[in-house]
Amino acid sequence: MHISVLVSGNGSNLQAIIDAVAQGQLSNIVIANVIADRNCYAIERALDAEIPVYYAERGPEMSQEIDAICQETGVELIVLAGFLSILSEEFCQKWERKIINMHPSLLPAYGGMGMYGRKVHEAVLQNHETQSGVSIHYVTPEVDAGEIILQQAFPIDQNTTIDQLAQKVSDVEKPLLIQALHQLSQT
Ligand code: GRF
């Protein structure tokens, strides 16, 4: 299965995919390309692994550009790995059940427009939740509302800080993402 990984930031999840492919854990997967919507460290990780990198400028044409790149390079699944731009409704419909995203909460809780990164963790801690987690889900036009593929929960206590919660999410999301990719590449 040829995948495209869309990135905007540090790319630690991209790195987890690169490593899993290199180590033979995702033997059915080829990273066809990495697409970035801004200059970011993830680009360096892709270039180090000799993966073709494309730049899709943020704006009204961005989704069409990504669509063209993915079509031309035979992509079968698009992985949003810390991708911060919102894809168009048309794009999400065209690639229905072929785009996946990771979210740092137990969706549907703490999802939706504006709920990303530390904002999620802040809200979880403010509400004194006793658990949080990570969700891997299909992407639909409605933000964070697509069918859940995999979820993993973990307990949190009253003393947990935002940094600790962010670290826990970062530790949990990588194996979960690899598991989801493994699952999807077998079907
Ligand atoms: C991850 O924590 C992910 O849950 C969220 O964005 C972050 C991306 O990190 N969607 P990285 O760029 O993969 O390091």
Side-chain angles (χ1 to χ4, degrees):
M1 183 167 74
H2 283 63
I3 69 168
S4 175
V5 186
L6 273 52
V7 295
S8 304
N10 175 35
S12 63
N13 288 282
L14 166 66
Q15 190 67 55
I17 304 171
I18 292 171
D19 293 346
V21 169
Q23 289 157 14
Q25 288 169 47
L26 294 174
S27 53
N28 286 344
I29 289 189
V30 173
I31 307 172
N33 59 54
V34 165
I35 306 176
D37 68 346
R38 65 198 73 195
N39 199 5
C40 59
Y41 185 59
I43 293 174
E44 276 187 46
R45 296 184 191 265
L47 294 175
D48 278 350
E50 298 182 347
I51 299 165
V53 176
Y54 295 84
Y55 174 67
E57 196 177 343
R58 279 173 282 168
E61 310 290 312
M62 184 195 71
S63 294
Q64 274 171 273
E65 278 180 41
I66 296 171
D67 178 47
I69 297 163
C70 288
Q71 278 210 67
E72 280 161 23
T73 53
V75 165
E76 298 160 275
L77 183 78
I78 297 169
V79 181
L80 309 189
F83 187 66
L84 294 176
S85 294
I86 302 290
L87 294 159
S88 73
E89 184 173 346
E90 199 188 4
F91 182 90
C92 293
Q93 280 162 355
K94 179 170 175 188
W95 290 86
E96 194 187 355
R97 293 181 78 83
K98 292 192 170 95
I99 316 171
I100 66 168
N101 181 46
M102 254 169 316
H103 187 80
S105 75
L106 295 172
L107 290 174
Y110 303 101
M113 197 71 98
M115 266 294 170
Y116 57 87
R118 293 175 75 86
K119 292 186 186 184
V120 174
H121 307 323
E122 249 167 46
V124 166
L125 293 178
Q126 257 167 24
N127 288 341
H128 305 289
E129 298 287 357
T130 55
Q131 63 169 9
S132 191
V134 173
S135 305
I136 314 268
H137 64 97
Y138 286 112
V139 172
T140 56
E142 201 186 329
V143 178
D144 297 329
E147 188 188 315
I148 290 163
I149 301 165
L150 283 177
Q151 256 179 345
Q152 187 166 334
F154 52 79
I156 45 179
D157 62 42
Q158 294 311 308
N159 302 321
T160 303
T161 64
I162 292 185
D163 285 341
Q164 286 167 338
L165 185 47
Q167 186 59 51
K168 182 71 183 165
V169 162
S170 172
D171 292 345
V172 163
E173 67 188 355
K174 291 167 182 73
L176 199 67
L177 175 62
I178 302 308
Q179 191 186 335
L181 286 170
H182 186 262
Q183 193 171 305
L184 293 171
S185 67
Q186 301 300 307
T187 53

PDB file of all heavy atoms in Angstrom, residues 9-14 81-82 101-104 169 173, ligand 1:
ATOM      1  N   GLY A   9       4.852  19.862  11.203  1.00  0.00           N
ATOM      2  CA  GLY A   9       5.654  20.184  12.390  1.00  0.00           C
ATOM      3  C   GLY A   9       6.895  19.352  12.561  1.00  0.00           C
ATOM      4  O   GLY A   9       7.655  19.101  11.621  1.00  0.00           O
ATOM      5  N   ASN A  10       7.069  18.879  13.767  1.00  0.00           N
ATOM      6  CA  ASN A  10       8.282  18.160  14.151  1.00  0.00           C
ATOM      7  C   ASN A  10       8.447  16.829  13.405  1.00  0.00           C
ATOM      8  O   ASN A  10       9.556  16.407  13.093  1.00  0.00           O
ATOM      9  CB  ASN A  10       8.210  17.942  15.669  1.00  0.00           C
ATOM     10  CG  ASN A  10       9.336  17.106  16.191  1.00  0.00           C
ATOM     11  OD1 ASN A  10      10.459  17.168  15.707  1.00  0.00           O
ATOM     12  ND2 ASN A  10       9.047  16.295  17.177  1.00  0.00           N
ATOM     13  N   GLY A  11       7.340  16.168  13.137  1.00  0.00           N
ATOM     14  CA  GLY A  11       7.409  14.933  12.345  1.00  0.00           C
ATOM     15  C   GLY A  11       7.818  13.701  13.122  1.00  0.00           C
ATOM     16  O   GLY A  11       8.301  12.733  12.538  1.00  0.00           O
ATOM     17  N   SER A  12       7.588  13.706  14.431  1.00  0.00           N
ATOM     18  CA  SER A  12       7.969  12.510  15.200  1.00  0.00           C
ATOM     19  C   SER A  12       7.105  11.307  14.812  1.00  0.00           C
ATOM     20  O   SER A  12       7.581  10.168  14.848  1.00  0.00           O
ATOM     21  CB  SER A  12       7.906  12.770  16.709  1.00  0.00           C
ATOM     22  OG  SER A  12       6.599  13.063  17.107  1.00  0.00           O
ATOM     23  N   ASN A  13       5.880  11.560  14.413  1.00  0.00           N
ATOM     24  CA  ASN A  13       5.037  10.441  13.963  1.00  0.00           C
ATOM     25  C   ASN A  13       5.449   9.968  12.574  1.00  0.00           C
ATOM     26  O   ASN A  13       5.415   8.774  12.294  1.00  0.00           O
ATOM     27  CB  ASN A  13       3.555  10.829  14.007  1.00  0.00           C
ATOM     28  CG  ASN A  13       3.068  10.913  15.432  1.00  0.00           C
ATOM     29  OD1 ASN A  13       2.799   9.903  16.058  1.00  0.00           O
ATOM     30  ND2 ASN A  13       2.998  12.124  15.976  1.00  0.00           N
ATOM     31  N   LEU A  14       5.844  10.897  11.719  1.00  0.00           N
ATOM     32  CA  LEU A  14       6.414  10.507  10.425  1.00  0.00           C
ATOM     33  C   LEU A  14       7.634   9.620  10.675  1.00  0.00           C
ATOM     34  O   LEU A  14       7.793   8.574  10.036  1.00  0.00           O
ATOM     35  CB  LEU A  14       6.820  11.759   9.626  1.00  0.00           C
ATOM     36  CG  LEU A  14       7.721  11.498   8.424  1.00  0.00           C
ATOM     37  CD1 LEU A  14       6.991  10.687   7.357  1.00  0.00           C
ATOM     38  CD2 LEU A  14       8.238  12.809   7.838  1.00  0.00           C
ATOM     39  N   ALA A  81      -0.201  13.363   9.835  1.00  0.00           N
ATOM     40  CA  ALA A  81       0.679  13.154  10.996  1.00  0.00           C
ATOM     41  C   ALA A  81       1.133  14.510  11.508  1.00  0.00           C
ATOM     42  O   ALA A  81       2.191  15.015  11.142  1.00  0.00           O
ATOM     43  CB  ALA A  81       1.879  12.288  10.588  1.00  0.00           C
ATOM     44  N   GLY A  82       0.246  15.121  12.307  1.00  0.00           N
ATOM     45  CA  GLY A  82       0.542  16.467  12.789  1.00  0.00           C
ATOM     46  C   GLY A  82       0.361  17.495  11.686  1.00  0.00           C
ATOM     47  O   GLY A  82       1.086  18.483  11.634  1.00  0.00           O
ATOM     48  N   ASN A 101      -6.282  10.198  10.586  1.00  0.00           N
ATOM     49  CA  ASN A 101      -5.694  11.240  11.442  1.00  0.00           C
ATOM     50  C   ASN A 101      -5.563  10.704  12.857  1.00  0.00           C
ATOM     51  O   ASN A 101      -6.284   9.795  13.255  1.00  0.00           O
ATOM     52  CB  ASN A 101      -6.621  12.470  11.439  1.00  0.00           C
ATOM     53  CG  ASN A 101      -6.082  13.615  12.270  1.00  0.00           C
ATOM     54  OD1 ASN A 101      -4.900  13.958  12.170  1.00  0.00           O
ATOM     55  ND2 ASN A 101      -6.925  14.202  13.107  1.00  0.00           N
ATOM     56  N   MET A 102      -4.635  11.280  13.573  1.00  0.00           N
ATOM     57  CA  MET A 102      -4.463  10.957  14.988  1.00  0.00           C
ATOM     58  C   MET A 102      -4.974  12.132  15.796  1.00  0.00           C
ATOM     59  O   MET A 102      -4.699  13.281  15.420  1.00  0.00           O
ATOM     60  CB  MET A 102      -2.962  10.952  15.280  1.00  0.00           C
ATOM     61  CG  MET A 102      -2.321   9.688  15.470  1.00  0.00           C
ATOM     62  SD  MET A 102      -0.582  10.082  15.446  1.00  0.00           S
ATOM     63  CE  MET A 102      -0.399  11.187  14.096  1.00  0.00           C
ATOM     64  N   HIS A 103      -5.640  11.872  16.878  1.00  0.00           N
ATOM     65  CA  HIS A 103      -6.101  12.992  17.716  1.00  0.00           C
ATOM     66  C   HIS A 103      -5.742  12.700  19.173  1.00  0.00           C
ATOM     67  O   HIS A 103      -5.936  11.577  19.639  1.00  0.00           O
ATOM     68  CB  HIS A 103      -7.610  13.192  17.550  1.00  0.00           C
ATOM     69  CG  HIS A 103      -8.098  14.411  18.240  1.00  0.00           C
ATOM     70  ND1 HIS A 103      -7.971  15.676  17.682  1.00  0.00           N
ATOM     71  CD2 HIS A 103      -8.647  14.584  19.462  1.00  0.00           C
ATOM     72  CE1 HIS A 103      -8.441  16.566  18.543  1.00  0.00           C
ATOM     73  NE2 HIS A 103      -8.869  15.931  19.629  1.00  0.00           N
ATOM     74  N   PRO A 104      -5.242  13.717  19.889  1.00  0.00           N
ATOM     75  CA  PRO A 104      -4.750  13.461  21.253  1.00  0.00           C
ATOM     76  C   PRO A 104      -5.824  13.459  22.341  1.00  0.00           C
ATOM     77  O   PRO A 104      -5.650  14.052  23.404  1.00  0.00           O
ATOM     78  CB  PRO A 104      -3.740  14.609  21.459  1.00  0.00           C
ATOM     79  CG  PRO A 104      -4.295  15.720  20.660  1.00  0.00           C
ATOM     80  CD  PRO A 104      -4.970  15.097  19.460  1.00  0.00           C
ATOM     81  N   VAL A 169       0.746  11.238  25.662  1.00  0.00           N
ATOM     82  CA  VAL A 169       0.086  11.127  24.351  1.00  0.00           C
ATOM     83  C   VAL A 169       1.119  10.796  23.276  1.00  0.00           C
ATOM     84  O   VAL A 169       0.922   9.912  22.439  1.00  0.00           O
ATOM     85  CB  VAL A 169      -0.679  12.436  24.012  1.00  0.00           C
ATOM     86  CG1 VAL A 169      -0.990  12.524  22.527  1.00  0.00           C
ATOM     87  CG2 VAL A 169      -1.965  12.520  24.820  1.00  0.00           C
ATOM     88  N   GLU A 173       0.765   7.455  21.043  1.00  0.00           N
ATOM     89  CA  GLU A 173       0.226   7.590  19.685  1.00  0.00           C
ATOM     90  C   GLU A 173       1.053   6.869  18.622  1.00  0.00           C
ATOM     91  O   GLU A 173       0.496   6.403  17.621  1.00  0.00           O
ATOM     92  CB  GLU A 173       0.011   9.056  19.299  1.00  0.00           C
ATOM     93  CG  GLU A 173       1.257   9.870  19.148  1.00  0.00           C
ATOM     94  CD  GLU A 173       0.966  11.359  18.950  1.00  0.00           C
ATOM     95  OE1 GLU A 173      -0.195  11.756  18.828  1.00  0.00           O
ATOM     96  OE2 GLU A 173       1.935  12.125  18.944  1.00  0.00           O
TER      97      GLU A 173
HETATM   98  C1  GRF B   1       0.857  14.757  17.508  1.00  0.00           C
HETATM   99  O1  GRF B   1       0.850  14.846  18.901  1.00  0.00           O
HETATM  100  C2  GRF B   1      -0.534  14.431  17.007  1.00  0.00           C
HETATM  101  O2  GRF B   1      -1.362  13.849  17.980  1.00  0.00           O
HETATM  102  C3  GRF B   1      -1.106  15.748  16.612  1.00  0.00           C
HETATM  103  O3  GRF B   1       0.003  16.534  16.245  1.00  0.00           O
HETATM  104  C4  GRF B   1       1.199  16.063  16.858  1.00  0.00           C
HETATM  105  C5  GRF B   1       2.221  15.932  15.789  1.00  0.00           C
HETATM  106  O4  GRF B   1       3.512  15.676  16.228  1.00  0.00           O
HETATM  107  N1  GRF B   1      -2.107  15.580  15.603  1.00  0.00           N
HETATM  108  P1  GRF B   1       4.653  15.332  15.193  1.00  0.00           P
HETATM  109  O5  GRF B   1       4.761  16.460  14.178  1.00  0.00           O
HETATM  110  O6  GRF B   1       4.329  14.019  14.534  1.00  0.00           O
HETATM  111  O7  GRF B   1       5.909  15.233  16.014  1.00  0.00           O
END
